[in-house]
C-alpha cells in the first residue's frame, strides 16, 4: 500500500513537471544546435499555397534546397517570385549590412512572412536549417502526411557559431559504408549545422579509395576473409568482406557534401595502420626479423621510412587523393605506430644512425616532415593525430587532431599548431553509452551528458586527467597545472569533432546510427552554441520533445535510453527515461516488441529475473532491453576448473572464466585454430536447465569463436549435443547432471586473439 502511494506520487510529480515544462516552453523554439539569440514574439506565420519565395542570391542553390523540402512535405508549391514580395513570403537575402558573421544568419518570422539574412550562402543555408526545425518534423520525411498545420512561431533569431570547425569523423575501413549511407550521414550532419566530415579512408582492415596507379590497393587491400590477403576481423566472419569507392564515387560524394556546406577532409592513415597496404604491396613494409604487433594486433602494418622510394609511392597516392578533394587539408594519420618494426628494420636503423636520431619518435617526425612537403606540393596543408607532436617540430600551419586527451590539445596549441579537439572521453562515439551496452570503453562511458559537457576552450579543462588508451596504457597528460592559454593560443583551438571508429559497427543493424545519434546532436551544440546558452536539462527537453521526432523523420535509427528497472520487496518498479516515453515488457526473457504489453505501473512478482523491459519511440525505435537491476538471478556458480590448448595473456588469465564474475574474462596470445579447445570441468555434477557459452570480450562481440561448437558430457568422457557457435555464443540444454562442457574450434577465428567468458549456468 505504502509502495503504491509512493509510486502514485512519483508519477504525478513527473506528469506535473512535464506539464509545467510543456506549457512554459510551448511558444518556445526547440532548434538544435541552440541559436545564440532568440526573441519570441506574438506573431506567427502560416505557410499556404500562395506563399512565395524570393532571393537576391546569385546562385539559386538555397532556393532550390528549400523548395524541395516544402514541395515534398507540404501541399504548397512555394513559387519563386522575381520582385521583392510585400506579404506571404519567404525571403532569402544576402546582405553585407549588419555585419553578419560568415556562417551566421538572421531569421525573422512575422505575420507577413519569413526573412533569412546572411552575408554568405552558408549563413543563409544555416538560417534555412533553423527554419526547417521550426516547421512540423514531417518536413524531413519527404512525404505529405496531410495532418500538419504549417504554422511558424513569430521570432527573431540572430545566430552564428562559436567555432569554425564542427566536425564528425567516420572510419569506413573496419566497417565499409556504401555511397548512399555516406551521403545520408553527410546530410544528417548538415541538418545539425556541422561543417566538416573527416573521412578515415584507410586502415589495417581495408583500403577504401581507388588509386589508379596502384590498383592492388583496392583489388587486394579492400577485402578480408578466409581466402583473402587480409585476415577476417571484427566479426565479419570468414566470408569475403569489403568494398571501396571509385574516384567517380568520391567526387560524387564531395559534390553532395559541398551542396550541404560540408568540407570533406580525407585521411590516408600513415605510416602505421597500414596492413591493407602491406597486404597488397609487401615491399613497402620494414625488413628484418620482427614478430611484434600493433596495439590492434596487426603484424607488418608500418611503412618503412628507410626505403626512400616509398616516398615516391606515397607522393603518387597523395597526388591522386588530393585531386579528389577541394579541402585545403589532408590528414595523414600518424597514430599508434608500432615502433618495434622500425627498431628491428635495418633500413630504418641505418637512417636513424645517419641522421643521428636517438628516439623512434624522431623517425616519426622525419616521416611526418616529409609528408608535410608532399602534401603542400599538392596544394594542401597537412593534418595528423596528436602523435605527430611527439618527435619534433611541425610546420606552423600543420593541424593537429587531439584525441588522447584535452591536455594533448592544450600541448598542441601551446606549440602553436591549429588544433581540433576530439578527446576520446567526450568525443569517441564508438564508446559505450552505458555499461551494459555494446561498445568500446577504453576512454570510459561516453554518455550524452558527457558529450554535452565538453567545453573545448575551457581553461580548466581536465589537463591533468589520466586517460587510458586503446591498448590499455595509462597516458599521463603532459601539463600538470591548470593551463592558462593566451588569446592567440585559444584562437588556435579551431573547434571540435566526434569520432566514429567502426570496429564494432558490423552489428546489430544500423549500429553506426545508434552510436552517432543523439550524441551528434549534443556535439553540434558544443561546436555551435556559446557556453552561457547551454544547459543539459533544457537541451534534453528540446531533444526528447522535438528532436527525437525530427531524427525519426530524417530516417535516423537513433539510440533510445533504456528504462531504469528495480526490484524491491517483491515488486518491479520502472522509471521511464522521459515522462512521455513508452515502456513495454515481457515476462519470459524474450525481447520486448511493439506488441508486448505496456508498463503501466508497479508489477508484483516472484519471478523478476524473467522480465525484460525496453523503451520505445513510436513503436519503431527501441532501447536495449534490461532486466530488473537487483532481481535474484539463478546463475549457478559450481566449483570449476578449466583445461585448454591455448596460452593465456597473463593480464587476462584463464582462471578468470571460473570465478563467475562476469566482468573478468580470458584472452589468449593468438588466434584460435582448428582443433583448439577449452574444457570446463565441474567438481561435482551440475544440474542445469540451460548453459550459455559466451566467447568474445563482454559487450564487445569480437575476438570470439567464429567457427566451432560447444558440447557437454554427462560422464566427463563422452560428449553429446554438439551445438554450433552463432555470433560468438552457443546455448546448451542438458537433460541430466553435467560433468563438463567443451568448446572446440573448427576454423581460425576472425580476430588476432581469442576471448572467453564464464559459463552462464541456469538452474
Ligand atoms: C584508437 S583514435 C585508434 C583507432 C581505433 C580507436 C578505437 C586513433 C587515432 N586510433 O585506430 O579504432 O582507438 O576506439
Amino acid at each position: 500500500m505504502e509502495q503504491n502511494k509512493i509510486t502514485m506520487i512519483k508519477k504525478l510529480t513527473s506528469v506535473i513537471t512535464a506539464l509545467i515544462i510543456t506549457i512554459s516552453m510551448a511558444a518556445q523554439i526547440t532548434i538544435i544546435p541552440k541559436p545564440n539569440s532568440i526573441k519570441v514574439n506574438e506573431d506567427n506565420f502560416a505557410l499556404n499555397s500562395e506563399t512565395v519565395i524570393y532571393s537576391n542570391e546569385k546562385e539559386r542553390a538555397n532556393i532550390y534546397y528549400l523548395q524541395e523540402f516544402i514541395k515534398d512535405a507540404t501541399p504548397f508549391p512555394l513559387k519563386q517570385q522575381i520582385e521583392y514580395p510585400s506579404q506571404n513570403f519567404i525571403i532569402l537575402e544576402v546582405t553585407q549590412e549588419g555585419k553578419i558573421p560568415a556562417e551566421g544568419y538572421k531569421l525573422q518570422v512575422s505575420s507577413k512572412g519569413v526573412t533569412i539574412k546572411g552575408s554568405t550562402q552558408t549563413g543563409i543555408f544555416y538560417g534555412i536549417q533553423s527554419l526547417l526545425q521550426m516547421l512540423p518534423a514531417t518536413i524531413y520525411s519527404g512525404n505529405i502526411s496531410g495532418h500538419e498545420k504549417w504554422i511558424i512561431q513569430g521570432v527573431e533569431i540572430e545566430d552564428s557559431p562559436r567555432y569554425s570547425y564542427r566536425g564528425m569523423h567516420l572510419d569506413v575501413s573496419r566497417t565499409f559504408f556504401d555511397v548512399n549511407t555516406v551521403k545520408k550521414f553527410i546530410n544528417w550532419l548538415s541538418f545539425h549545422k556541422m561543417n566538416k566530415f573527416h573521412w578515415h579512408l584507410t586502415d589495417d582492415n581495408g583500403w577504401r579509395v581507388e588509386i589508379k596507379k596502384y590498383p592492388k590497393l583496392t583489388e587486394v587491400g579492400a577485402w578480408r576473409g578466409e581466402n583473402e590477403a587480409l585476415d577476417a576481423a571484427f566479426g565479419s566472419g570468414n566470408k569475403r568482406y569489403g568494398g571501396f569507392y571509385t574516384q567517380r564515387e568520391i567526387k560524387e560524394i564531395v559534390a553532395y557534401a559541398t551542396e550541404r556546406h560540408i568540407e570533406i577532409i580525407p585521411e590516408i592513415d600513415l605510416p602505421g595502420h597500414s596492413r591493407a597496404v602491406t597486404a597488397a604491396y609487401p615491399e613497402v613494409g620494414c625488413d628484418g626479423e620482427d614478430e611484434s604487433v600493433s596495439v590492434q594486433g596487426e603484424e607488418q602494418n608500418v611503412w618503412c621510412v628507410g626505403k626512400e622510394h616509398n616516398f615516391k609511392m606515397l607522393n603518387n597516392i597523395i597526388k591522386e587523393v588530393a585531386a579528389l578533394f577541394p579541402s585545403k587539408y589532408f590528414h595523414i594519420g600518424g597514430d599508434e605506430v608500432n615502433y618495434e618494426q622500425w627498431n628491428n628494420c635495418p633500413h630504418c636503423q641505418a637512417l636513424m644512425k645517419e641522421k643521428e636520431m636517438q628516439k623512434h619518435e624522431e623517425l616519426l617526425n622525419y616521416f611526418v616532415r616529409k609528408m608535410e612537403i608532399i602534401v603542400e606540393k599538392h596544394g594542401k596543408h597537412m593534418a595528423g593525430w596528436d602523435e605527430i607532436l611527439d618527435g619534433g617540430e611541425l610546420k606552423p600551419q600543420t593541424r593537429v587532431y587531439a584525441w588522447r586527451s584535452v591536455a594533448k590539445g592544450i600541448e598542441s596549441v601551446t606549440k602553436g599548431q591549429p588544433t581540433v579537439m576530439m578527446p576520446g572521453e567526450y568525443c569517441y562515439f564508438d564508446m559505450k553509452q552505458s555499461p551494459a551496452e555494446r561498445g568500446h570503453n577504453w576512454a570510459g562511458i561516453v554518455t550524452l551528458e558527457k558529450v554535452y559537457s565538453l567545453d573545448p576552450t575551457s581553461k580548466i579543462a581536465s589537463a591533468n586527467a589520466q586517460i587510458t588508451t586503446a591498448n590499455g596504457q595509462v597516458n599521463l597528460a603532459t601539463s600538470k597545472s591548470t593551463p592558462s592559454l593566451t588569446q592567440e593560443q585559444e584562437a588556435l583551438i579551431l573547434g571540435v569533432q566526434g569520432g566514429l571508429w567502426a570496429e564494432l559497427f558490423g552489428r546489430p543493424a544500423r549500429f553506426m546510427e545508434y552510436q552517432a545519434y543523439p550524441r551528434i546532436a549534443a556535439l553540434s551544440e558544443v561546436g555551435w552554441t556559446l557556453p552561457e546558452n547551454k544547459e543539459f536539462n533544457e537541451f534534453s527537453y528540446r531533444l526528447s520533445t522535438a528532436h527525437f521526432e525530427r531524427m525519426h523523420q530524417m530516417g535516423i535509427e537513433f539510440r533510445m535510453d533504456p528504462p531504469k528497472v528495480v526490484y524491491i520487496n517483491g515488486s518491479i518498479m520502472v522509471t521511464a527515461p522521459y515522462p512521455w516515453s513508452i515502456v513495454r515488457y515481457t515476462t519470459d526473457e524474450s525481447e520486448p516488441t511493439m506488441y508486448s504489453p505496456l508498463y503501466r505501473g508497479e508489477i508484483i512478482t516472484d519471478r523478476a529475473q524473467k522480465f525484460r523491459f525496453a523503451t520505445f519511440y513510436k513503436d519503431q525505435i527501441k532501447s536495449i532491453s534490461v532486466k530488473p537491476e537487483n532481481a535474484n538471478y539463478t546463475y549457478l556458480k559450481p566449483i570449476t576448473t578449466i583445461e585448454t590448448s591455448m596460452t593465456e595473456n597473463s593480464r587476462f588469465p584463464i582462471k578468470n572464466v571460473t570465478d563467475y564474475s562476469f566482468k573478468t574474462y580470458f584472452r589468449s596470445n593468438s588466434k584460435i585454430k582448428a582443433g583448439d579447445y577449452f574444457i570446463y570441468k565441474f567438481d561435482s555434477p551440475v544440474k542445469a536447465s540451460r548453459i550459455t557459452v559466451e566467447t568474445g570480450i563482454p559487450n564487445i562481440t569480437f575476438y570470439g569463436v567464429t567457427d566451432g561448437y560447444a558440447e557437454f558430457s554427462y560422464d566427463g568422457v563422452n560428449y553429446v549435443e554438439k551445438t554450433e557457435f552463432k555470433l560468438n555464443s552457443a546455448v546448451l540444454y542438458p537433460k541430466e547432471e553435467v560433468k563438463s562442457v567443451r568448446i572446440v574450434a573448427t576454423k581460425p577465428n576472425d580476430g588476432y586473439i581469442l576471448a572467453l567468458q564464464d559459463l552462464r549456468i541456469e538452474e
Side-chain angles (χ1 to χ4, degrees):
M1 193 56 204
E2 267 310 293
Q3 206 61 58
N4 265 335
K5 264 192 205 155
I6 296 172
T7 326
M8 279 285 287
I9 292 169
K10 271 197 186 155
K11 271 184 115 185
L12 266 177
T13 346
S14 67
V15 169
I16 292 168
T17 325
L19 268 176
I20 292 172
I21 302 182
T22 316
I23 292 162
S24 63
M25 302 277 294
Q28 289 205 17
I29 305 298
T30 55
I31 297 168
I32 288 179
K34 189 177 183 176
N36 282 305
S37 156
I38 307 172
K39 287 192 195 108
V40 174
N41 60 43
E42 302 282 274
D43 281 351
N44 59 50
F45 172 68
L47 284 180
N48 60 37
S49 48
E50 308 296 312
T51 308
V52 292
I53 185 163
Y54 166 89
S55 172
N56 70 347
E57 292 174 286
K58 272 197 228 89
E59 308 253 341
R60 295 171 49 118
N62 277 325
I63 291 197
Y64 283 145
Y65 182 86
L66 182 56
Q67 269 178 334
E68 285 295 302
F69 274 95
I70 305 280
K71 266 193 229 153
D72 289 350
T74 80
F76 317 129
L78 193 67
K79 284 222 188 83
Q80 186 181 354
Q81 183 164 309
I82 307 302
E83 312 86 60
Y84 199 94
S86 56
Q87 58 175 356
N88 201 358
F89 54 73
I90 298 178
I91 292 172
L92 310 178
E93 192 179 332
V94 222
T95 169
Q96 300 317 315
E97 271 165 42
K99 295 210 176 77
I100 306 174
E103 293 186 295
Y105 65 91
K106 285 185 185 170
L107 168 66
Q108 211 175 40
V109 180
S110 71
S111 52
K112 288 191 171 169
V114 178
T115 309
I116 296 172
K117 291 184 185 175
S119 63
T120 63
Q121 274 205 303
T122 311
I124 292 178
F125 181 79
Y126 290 143
I128 293 174
Q129 295 309 331
S130 287
L131 175 64
L132 293 176
Q133 292 200 18
M134 293 175 66
L135 292 167
T138 46
I139 192 71
Y140 291 104
S141 71
N143 294 309
I144 301 179
S145 87
H147 298 303
E148 285 78 11
K149 292 206 169 74
W150 296 96
I151 297 177
I152 310 168
Q153 173 64 46
V155 77
E156 269 181 56
I157 294 177
E158 250 190 85
D159 196 16
S160 62
R162 182 179 184 199
Y163 294 107
S164 62
Y165 193 113
R166 306 177 301 280
M168 264 314 294
H169 149 284
L170 181 65
D171 163 13
V172 295
S173 174
R174 276 63 170 270
T175 301
F176 178 65
F177 299 102
D178 64 13
V179 172
N180 278 337
T181 309
V182 174
K183 281 187 179 171
K184 274 200 280 181
F185 185 74
I186 289 170
N187 198 27
W188 296 335
L189 292 182
S190 70
F191 294 153
H192 293 85
K193 303 190 178 84
M194 306 277 282
N195 64 354
K196 311 281 173 184
F197 173 46
H198 171 172
W199 202 359
H200 186 79
L201 285 164
T202 72
D203 212 302
D204 294 315
N205 318 92
W207 181 282
R208 305 282 178 226
V209 48
E210 174 193 23
I211 304 294
K212 300 228 157 93
K213 204 171 171 86
Y214 304 103
K216 281 196 286 178
L217 285 173
T218 47
E219 281 166 16
V220 175
W223 305 94
R224 61 188 196 233
E226 200 178 7
N227 302 312
E228 305 298 321
L230 283 180
D231 271 1
F234 309 128
S236 60
N238 282 321
K239 62 178 192 309
R240 188 172 193 247
Y241 176 90
F244 65 93
Y245 312 102
T246 63
Q247 296 199 353
R248 242 194 53 214
E249 287 172 327
I250 299 252
K251 284 185 194 152
E252 182 187 323
I253 291 174
V254 167
Y256 183 89
T258 309
E259 283 167 20
R260 285 155 184 79
H261 301 264
I262 290 180
E263 173 190 331
I264 305 185
I265 296 111
E267 178 185 352
I268 301 293
D269 202 348
L270 306 166
H273 284 277
S274 295
R275 181 67 199 123
V277 181
T278 60
Y281 297 96
E283 61 276 18
V284 308
C286 286
D287 294 334
E289 285 294 298
D290 180 69
E291 285 180 0
S292 68
V293 293
S294 72
V295 283
Q296 273 103 359
E298 298 290 342
E299 294 165 13
Q300 281 288 323
N301 76 339
V302 186
W303 285 74
C304 178
V305 190
K307 295 177 182 168
E308 183 58 30
H309 53 265
N310 273 353
F311 290 98
K312 290 216 176 65
M313 179 168 174
L314 286 166
N315 177 64
N316 293 335
I317 293 174
I318 305 280
K319 183 178 168 193
E320 285 193 38
V321 179
L324 302 173
F325 294 91
S327 170
K328 271 267 145 232
Y329 276 84
F330 195 110
H331 200 299
I332 59 93
D335 60 316
E336 298 178 322
V337 177
N338 171 16
Y339 291 124
E340 280 306 304
Q341 292 266 302
W342 290 349
N343 291 344
N344 293 325
C345 168
H347 316 291
C348 291
Q349 288 310 305
L351 180 65
M352 282 184 75
K353 211 164 158 205
E354 181 200 322
K355 305 274 176 200
E356 295 180 0
M357 297 178 196
Q358 311 297 323
K359 298 182 299 179
H360 38 230
E361 284 87 353
E362 292 168 66
L363 193 56
L364 177 68
N365 186 252
Y366 172 89
F367 175 86
V368 165
R369 307 281 338 222
K370 284 183 87 94
M371 294 315 295
E372 279 182 333
I373 293 167
I374 291 175
V375 166
E376 299 262 339
K377 196 170 89 193
H378 298 297
K380 316 274 179 192
H381 298 319
M382 203 194 82
W385 298 109
D386 61 44
E387 282 94 331
I388 65 171
L389 292 166
D390 293 350
E393 301 215 324
L394 299 168
K395 280 190 195 289
Q397 63 271 30
T398 291
R399 182 193 280 168
V400 172
Y401 285 69
W403 69 280
R404 286 181 290 179
S405 60
V406 173
K408 278 285 162 197
I410 289 166
E411 178 189 330
S412 173
V413 296
T414 311
K415 289 181 171 168
Q417 307 304 140
T419 302
V420 174
M421 284 287 193
M422 52 184 306
E425 10 164 11
Y426 298 91
C427 293
Y428 269 25
F429 302 162
D430 52 330
M431 297 298 134
K432 287 169 191 280
Q433 318 200 40
S434 74
E437 273 166 280
R438 190 142 183 263
H440 285 302
N441 61 3
W442 65 261
I445 307 277
V446 179
T447 61
L448 190 66
E449 191 163 3
K450 178 91 191 201
V451 178
Y452 198 78
S453 73
L454 175 62
D455 180 351
T457 320
S458 161
K459 296 205 179 54
I460 49 161
S462 53
N464 304 331
Q466 284 190 357
I467 105 151
T468 314
T469 62
N471 55 348
Q473 277 170 1
V474 171
N475 265 337
L476 274 177
T478 42
S479 154
K480 285 276 174 227
S481 57
T482 305
S484 73
L485 299 178
T486 63
Q487 255 183 0
E488 293 84 71
Q489 288 167 342
E490 217 177 278
L492 286 171
I493 299 179
L494 307 172
V496 68
Q497 179 165 279
L500 281 171
W501 297 98
E503 292 95 327
L504 292 168
F505 291 177
R507 64 171 187 271
R510 298 177 76 179
F511 191 57
M512 183 268 276
E513 292 166 43
Y514 182 95
Q515 292 292 63
Y517 287 93
R519 288 189 285 195
I520 291 178
L523 185 78
S524 76
E525 215 145 289
V526 172
W528 184 280
T529 310
L530 296 169
E532 57 269 31
N533 296 330
K534 277 175 68 208
E535 204 274 313
F536 182 72
N537 289 326
E538 189 269 337
F539 164 76
S540 172
Y541 175 82
R542 276 180 284 127
L543 179 73
S544 61
T545 57
H547 206 66
F548 279 172
E549 184 57 21
R550 288 184 203 124
M551 292 191 291
H552 179 53
Q553 297 293 344
M554 289 170 194
I556 305 177
E557 283 206 22
F558 56 93
R559 172 187 185 264
M560 178 54 56
D561 303 86
K564 195 174 160 51
V565 184
V566 292
Y567 182 55
I568 313 169
N569 298 337
S571 67
I572 299 176
M573 309 247 279
V574 174
T575 317
Y578 305 100
W580 37 87
S581 28
I582 293 169
V583 174
R584 295 178 185 278
Y585 69 98
T586 59
T587 57
D588 58 359
E589 303 175 43
S590 61
E591 272 294 304
T593 68
M594 61 181 283
Y595 305 107
S596 308
L598 276 176
Y599 173 81
R600 297 177 187 280
E602 171 182 31
I603 300 167
I604 297 170
T605 178
D606 56 5
R607 303 168 62 251
Q609 72 278 6
K610 300 276 182 197
F611 282 67
R612 299 289 181 275
F613 296 82
T615 313
F616 281 75
Y617 186 78
K618 289 223 154 166
D619 279 345
Q620 284 159 52
I621 289 180
K622 191 176 92 172
S623 72
I624 55 160
S625 66
V626 292
K627 310 173 193 181
E629 264 171 31
N630 37 355
N632 226 353
Y633 297 118
T634 46
Y635 291 140
L636 301 177
K637 301 177 177 181
I639 298 172
T640 311
T641 51
I642 186 151
E643 204 186 295
T644 178
S645 59
M646 301 203 79
T647 34
E648 65 184 19
N649 170 333
S650 56
R651 285 170 54 216
F652 302 88
I654 189 72
K655 68 173 168 39
N656 281 354
V657 300
T658 52
D659 61 5
Y660 295 99
S661 148
F662 296 100
K663 281 187 190 134
T664 63
Y665 62 97
F666 160 83
R667 279 194 200 191
S668 64
N669 271 332
S670 58
K671 264 180 187 306
I672 196 166
K673 301 179 304 298
D676 272 330
Y677 64 88
F678 294 89
I679 306 172
Y680 296 85
K681 295 179 176 169
F682 305 124
D683 255 26
S684 8
V686 174
K687 190 164 170 14
S689 63
R690 177 166 64 183
I691 302 178
T692 309
V693 188
E694 291 281 7
T695 68
I697 300 174
N699 293 325
I700 300 180
T701 36
F702 57 72
Y703 304 149
V705 172
T706 312
D707 291 275
Y709 55 87
E711 54 193 356
F712 52 85
S713 173
Y714 296 126
D715 57 9
V717 181
N718 301 303
Y719 283 85
V720 293
E721 307 260 348
K722 240 187 209 189
T723 308
E724 296 291 331
F725 275 91
K726 263 203 207 107
L727 302 177
N728 302 322
S729 48
V731 187
L732 307 173
Y733 297 93
K735 288 169 205 77
E736 298 161 34
E737 288 187 346
V738 169
K739 277 199 164 161
S740 53
V741 172
R742 178 161 83 175
I743 300 173
V744 183
T746 49
K747 276 186 188 179
N749 67 324
D750 61 359
Y752 77 108
I753 56 164
L754 184 94
L756 183 71
Q757 305 174 31
D758 306 69
L759 294 174
R760 272 103 172 140
I761 309 172
E762 292 164 71
E763 211 171 313

